[in-house]
Amino acid sequence: SQQGEEDPQALSIQEGENATMNCSYKTSINNLQWYRQNSGRGLVHLILIRSNEREKHSGRLRVTLDTSKKSSSLLITASRAADTASYFCATDASTGGGADGLTFGKGTHLIIQP
Amino acid sequence: EAQVTQNPRYLITVTGKKLTVTCSQNMNHEYMSWYRQDPGLGLRQIYYSMNVEVTDKGDVPEGYKVSRKEKRNFPLILESPSPNQTSLYFCASSLKGPYRVYGYTFGSGTRLTVV
């Protein structure tokens, strides 16, 4: 079942601008993760934020998590052409007593215009 | 280099002909999982394994089998492939710590076409 929903589905910006993507989910989570996928390739883990964290940074990436609203955002600052990719949020809601694994949203396709 | 290796990268097969997609990781990860990715549906989990000889169904297990005889390998078996199994398949692995703070490492994918 789909847990995360990214918004927008597609985003096109100029190189150097900031890109913001949002993710909403439905159930309580252990952590939320963001992944990048270049066309048809494997997903690359970008950043993980635990349910008791509100903000996390990694290089040009900034992730926020609001568990009361069940939402997260990914901000990429000073975008580059190489950032063109699809970005997915994934939630880990595993309880240890049943289904286990990440549940992915459908992704935001980001295009950076040179 | 730490990685998850899937083979083959591309595969075209006919309906009903048994096939196996291999997955191997060199990071000593306990957890491994298979996903399929379809346009408009995103990534959906097929099967996962918490450790050797421990496997369980994900969201879309019908038509698939897996085994975990060794820690590093987690093959995906399609006993009788059908056209609705045409998809892009990904294997992933992860450490499984008590606080679930590890991301997944994905393979490069296997694009399967069943005709």
Side-chain angles (χ1 to χ4, degrees), chain B residues 7-8 11-22 63-67 69 75-83 85 89 112-115:
Chain B
N7 280 298
L11 179 60
I12 300 174
T13 190
V14 297
T15 300
K17 185 176 181 183
K18 181 180 179 180
L19 67 91
T20 299
V21 183
T22 63
Y64 304 95
K65 284 176 58 177
V66 293
S67 69
K69 294 184 171 58
L76 180 69
I77 303 154
L78 286 72
E79 294 267 359
S80 182
S82 63
Q85 293 179 296
Y89 290 86
L112 172 66
T113 302
V114 184
V115 299

Side-chain angles (χ1 to χ4, degrees), chain A residues 36-62:
Chain A
R36 183 187 74 231
Q37 183 183 34
N38 292 92
S39 182
R41 305 296 297 180
L43 283 79
V44 175
H45 180 254
L46 296 176
I47 196 164
L48 179 152
I49 185 165
R50 283 185 267 183
S51 60
N52 61 354
E53 297 175 314
R54 292 296 166 258
E55 188 171 313
K56 206 160 182 182
H57 297 253
S58 177
R60 295 184 295 114
L61 305 180
R62 173 178 168 254

Side-chain angles (χ1 to χ4, degrees), chain B residues 1-61:
Chain B
E1 180 189 352
Q3 60 185 357
V4 175
T5 303
Q6 288 180 235
N7 280 298
R9 183 81 175 89
Y10 300 93
L11 179 60
I12 300 174
T13 190
V14 297
T15 300
K17 185 176 181 183
K18 181 180 179 180
L19 67 91
T20 299
V21 183
T22 63
C23 174
S24 180
Q25 51 93 4
N26 61 1
M27 297 164 283
N28 203 35
H29 286 171
E30 297 88 1
Y31 183 92
M32 298 185 75
S33 183
W34 276 102
Y35 285 82
R36 60 178 290 175
Q37 185 176 30
D38 301 288
L41 296 176
L43 285 102
R44 295 175 292 168
Q45 190 182 47
I46 303 171
Y47 268 95
Y48 65 93
S49 170
M50 302 288 278
N51 215 323
V52 176
E53 301 291 2
V54 181
T55 64
D56 211 341
K57 298 176 181 178
D59 294 323
V60 288

